[in-house]
Amino acid sequence: MVEVGLPAEEFALSETTARFDDLEYEIERVVAHGDGRVLPYVWIDGPSVGDVEAALAEDDTVEDFERIADLEEERLYRMDWVARIDTLVRILVEEEGAILSAQGNGDDWTLRILFPSREALSRTHDYCEERGLAMEIHTIYDVDDGRQGRFGLTDSQQDTLLSAFEKGYYEIPREASMDDLAEEMGVSHQALSERIRRGHRMLVENTVIIGDQGSGDDRTSGTGKGD
């Protein structure tokens, strides 16, 4: 599992985002075809429909697009990106990678990708370097390392958050209190509170703020510190 960053100007929708200050987008799904075409489904949050679609029509990275859904503040588009977006094509088609999430703005894209092997990741990285593409690796870990790899949670944090969810702790109004959960888990109120806060912090860091603290070095999402 790897989280990578790609500059917007070297990837997709760079011309569209350059025209707006507040445009954000997120890939919902990517369909890759054997002929090298990539058909992503992209949520766009920002300016009016007319302004966005006028920009998409003039964007050299977009060959065609179709609005699938309109939810007032955001719209879902099916896009046909041009062939020069070959980094993503290689990841999906040649190296059998799966993009689990992708978010972007006018500066860069952050992608979370599952590769079948370290060798596949290495070949993709070398491929980008050979073509002068600035693919920066933010986070990398082996799925075999266990559940801690998923969003940086330790096993105890994941078990606690799952139990809290199942018991209705997150419902409005709450169906279970912190004291109820602590008693059921056999821990103190303070220990449970700290465990939940640490879990929430990891979830925010590794989902909402993915890529924000990235570096070029390999590092594991989450250190497993504490419960």
Side-chain angles (χ1 to χ4, degrees), residues 137-211:
I137 296 178
H138 296 321
T139 306
I140 180 173
Y141 62 85
D142 289 321
V143 177
D144 289 341
D145 289 342
R147 292 189 299 168
Q148 178 179 326
R150 297 190 296 185
F151 309 119
L153 297 174
T154 64
D155 287 354
S156 60
Q157 287 168 358
Q158 179 155 317
D159 290 340
T160 298
L161 295 181
L162 179 59
S163 179
F165 180 84
E166 291 176 342
K167 298 299 181 183
Y169 178 76
Y170 296 108
E171 296 295 327
I172 302 175
R174 282 179 173 165
E175 298 174 359
S177 67
M178 184 78 71
D179 288 333
D180 294 333
L181 295 175
E183 182 178 355
E184 180 171 332
M185 296 179 187
V187 298
S188 68
H189 183 286
Q190 178 68 20
L192 181 64
S193 176
E194 291 180 1
R195 186 182 301 175
I196 288 178
R197 287 203 306 272
R198 289 193 185 101
H200 288 169
R201 184 183 186 281
M202 276 298 164
L203 286 177
V204 171
E205 180 179 346
N206 289 297
T207 56
V208 179
I209 318 179
I210 58 174

Side-chain angles (χ1 to χ4, degrees), residues 1-207:
M1 193 83 70
V2 62
E3 178 188 300
V4 304
L6 293 169
E9 65 271 14
E10 295 182 2
F11 197 47
L13 302 180
S14 57
E15 297 175 24
T16 297
T17 54
R19 295 176 57 171
F20 306 100
D21 294 329
D22 57 348
L23 188 67
E24 295 183 352
Y25 38 86
E26 180 175 358
I27 291 181
E28 173 76 15
R29 182 183 179 190
V30 176
V31 180
H33 291 262
D35 61 2
R37 289 188 302 132
V38 176
L39 300 177
Y41 288 76
V42 183
W43 285 102
I44 294 183
D45 182 3
S48 68
V49 173
D51 291 341
V52 168
E53 294 185 357
L56 289 174
E58 297 177 5
D59 195 319
D60 288 341
T61 66
V62 180
E63 189 170 293
D64 191 19
F65 66 91
E66 176 185 1
R67 190 185 337 138
I68 303 298
D70 192 336
L71 303 180
E72 296 183 359
E73 295 299 322
E74 58 181 357
R75 280 81 61 185
L76 177 64
Y77 291 91
R78 180 202 61 77
M79 298 184 184
D80 192 346
W81 284 346
V82 297
R84 76 178 177 86
I85 313 298
D86 56 357
T87 306
L88 184 56
V89 173
R90 179 176 176 84
I91 291 172
L92 291 177
V93 178
E94 296 188 27
E95 296 298 352
E96 299 181 350
I99 294 183
L100 305 183
S101 66
Q103 297 174 318
N105 51 42
D107 298 321
D108 53 34
W109 282 82
T110 301
L111 291 79
R112 192 184 296 273
I113 307 168
L114 177 64
F115 283 98
S117 66
R118 289 272 181 143
E119 290 74 20
L121 167 59
S122 179
R123 287 192 297 268
T124 300
H125 187 266
D126 292 345
Y127 172 86
C128 291
E129 280 197 337
E130 291 168 2
R131 287 157 180 77
L133 301 175
M135 175 182 173
E136 182 178 4
I137 296 178
H138 296 321
T139 306
I140 180 173
Y141 62 85
D142 289 321
V143 177
D144 289 341
D145 289 342
R147 292 189 299 168
Q148 178 179 326
R150 297 190 296 185
F151 309 119
L153 297 174
T154 64
D155 287 354
S156 60
Q157 287 168 358
Q158 179 155 317
D159 290 340
T160 298
L161 295 181
L162 179 59
S163 179
F165 180 84
E166 291 176 342
K167 298 299 181 183
Y169 178 76
Y170 296 108
E171 296 295 327
I172 302 175
R174 282 179 173 165
E175 298 174 359
S177 67
M178 184 78 71
D179 288 333
D180 294 333
L181 295 175
E183 182 178 355
E184 180 171 332
M185 296 179 187
V187 298
S188 68
H189 183 286
Q190 178 68 20
L192 181 64
S193 176
E194 291 180 1
R195 186 182 301 175
I196 288 178
R197 287 203 306 272
R198 289 193 185 101
H200 288 169
R201 184 183 186 281
M202 276 298 164
L203 286 177
V204 171
E205 180 179 346
N206 289 297
T207 56

